[in-house]
C-alpha cells in the first residue's frame, strides 16, 4: 500500500500504522512506524531513513520526536543530537544546527567520552 506524502507535521503527529508504506520524493518506497509506541532508537532510525531518501524535513521531525521520547542509552541520545545538528545544517537552519552539537558536547563531557567530545566539536 502506498500512501501519498503529506506534510511532515501531520505525518509525525498522527498515529501511523506500523510499517505503513509511503513514497519518498525520489520515488523510493519506504516504511514508517507507529510513533505512539516507538522508542527513541526506532524514531531515530526512521528519521535517518527519511534523510537518506532525501526527505530531511520529515527526517528532522522524527529526530525531534526521538529527542522528546528520550532514552536512558546516552550513546543513542548522542547520536540523535548529532543527527539533529547535521540535518538542520543541511536544511540551512544554522541556529538549530549549532544548538545540538552543544548538547552532544555536554553529554560527551559528562560521560568522559573523549572521542564523543571530539566528534561534537567538529561543527
Amino acid at each position: 500500500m502506498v500512501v501519498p506524502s503529506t506534510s511532515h507535521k501531520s505525518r509525525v503527529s498522527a498515529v501511523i500504522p506500523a510499517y505503513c508504506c509511503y513514497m519518498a520524493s525520489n520515488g523510493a518506497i519506504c516504511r514508517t512506524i507507529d510513533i505512539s509506541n516507538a522508542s527513541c532508537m526506532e524514531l531515530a532510525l526512521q528519521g535517518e531513513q527519511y534523510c537518506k531518501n532525501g526527505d530531511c524535513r520529515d527526517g528532522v521531525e522524527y529526530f525531534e520526536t526521538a529527542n522528546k521520547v528520550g532514552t536512558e542509552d546516552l550513546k543513542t541520545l548522542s547520536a540523535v543530537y548529532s543527527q539533529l545538528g547535521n540535518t538542520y545544517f543541511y536544511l540551512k537552519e544554522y541556529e538549530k544546527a549549532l544548538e545540538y552539537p552543544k548538547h552532544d558536547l555536554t553529554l560527551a563531557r559528562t560521560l568522559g567520552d573523549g572521542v564523543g567530545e571530539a566528534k561534537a566539536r567538529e561543527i
Side-chain angles (χ1 to χ4, degrees):
M1 170 182 178
V2 176
V3 177
S5 182
T6 60
S7 91
H8 62 283
K9 290 193 185 259
S10 65
R11 183 179 356 210
V12 174
S13 62
V15 175
I16 303 168
Y19 306 110
C20 177
C21 294
Y22 77 97
M23 183 163 303
S25 61
N26 67 358
I29 302 296
C30 304
R31 296 184 338 170
T32 58
I33 58 173
D34 177 355
I35 65 167
S36 65
N37 296 314
S39 70
C40 178
M41 177 63 85
E42 290 169 325
L43 291 162
L45 290 172
Q46 187 68 48
E48 207 170 74
Q49 187 63 46
Y50 275 97
C51 289
K52 284 180 182 177
N53 288 313
D55 294 328
C56 288
R57 284 272 167 223
D58 291 331
V60 82
E61 291 295 327
Y62 275 90
F63 294 137
E64 287 286 5
T65 304
N67 188 34
K68 287 177 187 162
V69 167
T71 179
E72 291 184 17
D73 180 354
L74 299 181
K75 294 287 187 182
T76 298
L77 187 58
S78 174
V80 169
Y81 288 154
S82 180
Q83 290 286 28
L84 279 163
N86 292 338
T87 306
Y88 278 123
F89 182 83
Y90 178 82
L91 295 171
K92 298 181 179 165
E93 294 185 32
Y94 300 118
E95 284 186 38
K96 288 183 179 181
L98 288 171
E99 176 185 339
Y100 289 99
K102 290 176 187 175
H103 296 316
D104 197 17
L105 180 59
T106 300
L107 183 59
R109 285 180 175 160
T110 301
L111 294 171
D113 179 3
V115 173
E117 188 173 339
K119 176 185 63 99
R121 289 177 177 251
E122 286 180 359
I123 288 194

